[in-house]
């Protein structure tokens, strides 16, 4: 799952098609059509920004992402055509146009996009997966470069770990499902305005490696 991922992902988007508990959240199942629309690095970044930071104008998103308002406006309209973002007219003044994400996160409705008969779909999933991996790496590098700006409590509570265990494909999926469930169990436990709280990004990567 991806949400602004990332907040799934991206959220992101993680892009692994693993069923997870979503509670009352509005999670969008990506199909081949919307996948083709999403498969553009700027569109993924725009969707992630709207999910994480809330409604914004094309110019505001341009400033946040270092892009021109013309580019962000065009790609927002493309996302809107696939139902991923929508107008927020109640926020605008005059000719000002605000946009918001339609969904809280994204899941892929099939695990077979990379073997799809349409080469355009196969190419689209590769774009989304590689952009998601790039975003995860950028987020971690940003944290490593700015952690000294955070209170000591946060500097003691972060984590970067990796593990090597031998599993079957079935057990690997079971592991992913259980880890997703653990993360979901912490959702909504802290109010938005809780003192000392922050949005925490948690990345999950599970994949096989050669034994030799």
């Amino acid at each position: 799952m991806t949400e602004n991922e990332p907040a799934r992902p991206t959220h992101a988007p993680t892009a692994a098609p693993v069923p997870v508990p979503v509670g009352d959240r509005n999670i969008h199942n990506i199909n081949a059509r919307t996948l083709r629309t999403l498969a553009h690095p700027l569109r993924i970044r725009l969707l992630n920004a709207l999910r994480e930071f809330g409604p914004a104008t094309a110019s505001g998103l341009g400033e946040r992402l270092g892009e021109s308002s013309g580019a962000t406006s065009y790609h927002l309209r493309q996302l809107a055509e696939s139902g991923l973002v929508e107008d927020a007219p109640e926020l605008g003044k005059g000719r000002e146009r605000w946009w918001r994400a339609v969904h809280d996160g994204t899941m892929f409705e099939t695990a077979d996009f990379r073997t799809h008969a349409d080469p355009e779909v196969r190419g689209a999933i590769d774009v989304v997966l590689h952009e998601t991996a790039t975003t995860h790496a950028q987020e971690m590098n940003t944290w490593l470069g700015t952690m000294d700006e955070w209170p000591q409590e946060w500097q003691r509570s972060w984590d970067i770990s990796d593990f090597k265990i031998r599993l079957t494909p079935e057990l690997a999926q079971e592991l992913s499902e259980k880890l997703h469930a653990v993360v979901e169990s912490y959702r909504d436990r802290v109010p938005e305005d809780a003192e000392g709280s922050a949005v925490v990004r948690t990345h999950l990567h599970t994949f096989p490696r050669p034994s030799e």
Side-chain angles (χ1 to χ4, degrees), residues 30 32-44 75 79 84 120-129 131:
I30 289 284
R33 175 178 174 272
T34 51
L35 175 62
R36 284 191 288 263
T37 298
L38 187 59
H40 187 286
L42 180 53
R43 292 176 196 171
I44 295 172
H75 288 293
L79 289 169
L84 294 170
E120 186 178 351
V121 173
R122 298 197 301 271
I125 190 61
D126 278 344
V127 170
V128 173
L129 291 174
E131 184 63 22

Side-chain angles (χ1 to χ4, degrees), residues 13-193:
T14 72
V18 176
V20 298
V22 295
D24 297 328
R25 293 187 299 136
N26 180 12
I27 303 299
H28 178 60
N29 285 323
I30 289 284
N31 57 29
R33 175 178 174 272
T34 51
L35 175 62
R36 284 191 288 263
T37 298
L38 187 59
H40 187 286
L42 180 53
R43 292 176 196 171
I44 295 172
R45 293 167 63 208
L46 286 167
L47 185 57
N48 286 344
L50 289 174
R51 286 176 175 172
E52 181 167 1
F53 302 108
T57 63
S59 59
L61 287 165
E63 291 177 7
R64 178 180 293 279
L65 301 177
E67 299 284 346
S68 70
S69 60
T72 56
S73 180
Y74 170 79
H75 288 293
L76 284 165
R77 292 195 300 272
Q78 298 302 305
L79 289 169
E81 287 184 6
S82 289
L84 294 170
V85 306
E86 64 183 6
D87 279 306
E90 71 280 5
L91 299 176
K93 296 179 181 180
R95 299 180 62 183
E96 191 177 54
R97 189 176 188 181
W98 284 70
W99 299 89
R100 62 174 160 237
V102 176
H103 313 96
D104 299 319
T106 295
M107 293 181 67
F108 291 79
E109 70 177 23
T110 175
D112 299 327
F113 283 138
R114 298 202 75 243
T115 57
H116 198 279
D118 186 343
E120 186 178 351
V121 173
R122 298 197 301 271
I125 190 61
D126 278 344
V127 170
V128 173
L129 291 174
H130 284 281
E131 184 63 22
T132 299
T134 297
T135 298
H136 287 184
Q138 290 173 340
E139 288 178 342
M140 177 55 70
N141 285 329
T142 297
W143 164 251
L144 294 174
T146 61
M147 70 168 73
D148 290 343
E149 301 170 11
W150 287 76
Q152 286 296 316
E153 292 83 359
W154 282 110
Q155 294 188 43
R156 290 193 297 266
S157 64
W158 72 285
D159 179 57
I160 178 171
S161 301
D162 61 86
F163 307 89
K164 183 180 74 173
I165 52 178
R166 184 170 294 277
L167 298 173
T168 62
E170 294 77 17
L171 285 176
Q173 179 166 341
E174 178 183 315
L175 174 63
S176 293
E177 291 172 357
K178 288 184 175 180
L179 290 173
H180 276 271
V182 169
V183 173
E184 288 295 322
S185 72
Y186 282 84
R187 192 177 297 279
D188 299 327
R189 287 179 56 175
V190 179
E192 288 283 336
D193 58 352

